[in-house]
Amino acid sequence: MTESELLEAARTVQDSAHVPYSEYPVGAALETADGEVFVGCNLENANFSNSLHAEEVAIAEAVKKGHRDFSRLAVSSGRRDGVTPCGMCRQTLAEFCDDDLIVICDEGEGEAPSEYTLGELLPNTITEEMLE
């Protein structure tokens, strides 16, 4: 899948977002090492701490299907403002993804997307080894 196709998958899933409070739809498309793509959108709840973020929904779908090796993540908001995963989502991604996971952030039509690695977005992450 090309980078633009991965971004388009993240954009498309935004239509399913439930965002009555923020009115800020986010979509994520997570590509596995073998090329399968799982999408997620944000689902808000009146109790904000119970809301689900797009990246969490996408990784939950992939893990549920047995995937544990990921190559790229595309993230897009309805505003096409270069949104990156929040700190909580970065930590969730770090639980299942290596530091070299490519994170593609949608800057909008006609603009090149921003690209980071998970390690750049979340240096010195909390790991399982730290808890031993």
Side-chain angles (χ1 to χ4, degrees):
M1 177 172 274
T2 67
E3 182 178 90
S4 60
E5 290 171 329
L6 197 61
L7 272 174
E8 187 57 34
R11 289 174 178 167
T12 300
V13 74
Q14 288 175 39
D15 293 338
S16 298
H18 176 73
V19 291
Y21 308 106
S22 71
E23 297 180 6
Y24 187 78
V26 176
L30 180 64
E31 184 178 48
T32 66
D34 63 1
E36 195 166 349
V37 175
F38 293 87
V39 296
C41 59
N42 51 335
L43 306 169
E44 293 179 348
N45 186 297
N47 175 356
F48 293 139
S49 66
N50 289 359
S51 295
L52 298 173
H53 297 191
E55 301 89 334
E56 293 177 297
V57 174
I59 202 158
E61 285 294 314
V63 169
K64 181 176 75 175
K65 298 277 174 100
H67 293 278
R68 297 286 192 282
D69 195 11
F70 304 99
S71 59
R72 298 185 298 171
L73 171 74
V75 183
S76 178
S77 76
R79 295 184 189 158
R80 309 292 194 264
D81 55 2
V83 66
T84 64
C86 73
M88 182 176 71
C89 288
R90 292 174 190 192
Q91 183 63 51
T92 299
L93 289 164
E95 183 73 18
F96 297 97
C97 305
D98 294 330
D99 283 348
D100 62 353
L101 175 78
I102 301 297
V103 180
I104 303 160
C105 303
D106 192 355
E107 298 287 352
E109 296 297 330
E111 298 292 325
S114 297
E115 191 171 296
Y116 308 92
T117 64
L118 182 58
E120 289 174 318
L121 293 174
L122 187 65
N124 304 314
T125 185
I126 298 169
T127 63
E128 181 179 345
E129 292 79 28
M130 293 177 152
L131 301 177
E132 294 175 351

